[in-house]
């Protein structure tokens, strides 16, 4: 019985920690539109294809929190904070390890 309680507690702690990384405050529908408008032109099959499924949820969060498009920072500079949250939410919601992995379409 003690083992199952410890296991359950460990699962709850891990789930809480994973949730702490999750993006908050973004609108995935707006994010999809913004991704198509601002990102897809450079990240298409002809160049460097990048879709929501290209990364895990954690990788998308780290990209928006730490990387911030370091190869071309001017891309992020033209978007306001809410736009970045919306794009991040769309990518996070459809990441490779999400419940609904998807391409941009």
């Amino acid at each position: 019985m003690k083992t199952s309680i410890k296991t359950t507690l460990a699962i709850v702690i891990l789930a809480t920690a994973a949730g702490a990384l999750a993006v908050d405050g973004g609108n995935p529908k707006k994010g999809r539109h913004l991704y198509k408008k601002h990102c897809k032109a450079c990240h298409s099959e002809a160049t460097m294809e990048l879709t929501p499924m290209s990364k895990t949820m954690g990788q998308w969060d780290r990209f928006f929190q730490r990387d911030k498009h370091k190869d071309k920072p001017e891309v992020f500079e033209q978007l306001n904070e809410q736009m970045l949250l919306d794009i991040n939410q769309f990518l996070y919601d459809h990441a490779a390890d999400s419940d609904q992995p998807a391409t941009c379409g």
Side-chain angles (χ1 to χ4, degrees):
M1 189 73 140
K2 287 184 180 181
T3 303
S4 64
I5 292 172
K6 287 181 182 178
T7 303
T8 302
L9 183 59
I11 291 170
V12 169
I13 290 170
L14 287 173
T16 303
L21 292 175
V23 64
D24 191 28
N27 180 323
K29 289 183 181 181
K30 287 181 180 178
R32 180 184 182 107
H33 168 76
L34 291 166
Y35 180 87
K36 285 183 173 184
K37 182 177 178 182
H38 295 281
C39 309
K40 196 169 180 180
C42 291
H43 294 291
S44 65
E45 289 180 35
T47 57
M48 183 181 143
E49 184 174 27
L50 190 66
T51 71
M53 292 185 351
S54 298
K55 297 183 184 293
T56 64
M57 293 183 285
Q59 288 172 319
W60 280 122
D61 277 348
R62 282 189 297 278
F63 176 78
F64 280 86
Q65 291 170 4
R66 297 181 195 155
D67 183 288
K68 298 186 179 184
H69 215 294
K70 66 181 173 188
D71 292 337
K72 288 183 87 176
E74 63 275 8
V75 172
F76 269 28
E77 291 168 4
Q78 67 181 334
L79 303 170
N80 67 40
E81 190 65 31
Q82 186 59 52
M83 294 167 86
L84 291 170
L85 279 172
D86 293 342
I87 295 169
N88 189 7
Q89 187 71 59
F90 164 66
L91 295 169
Y92 181 92
D93 287 355
H94 299 289
D97 60 342
S98 70
D99 291 338
Q100 299 175 341
T103 61
C104 189

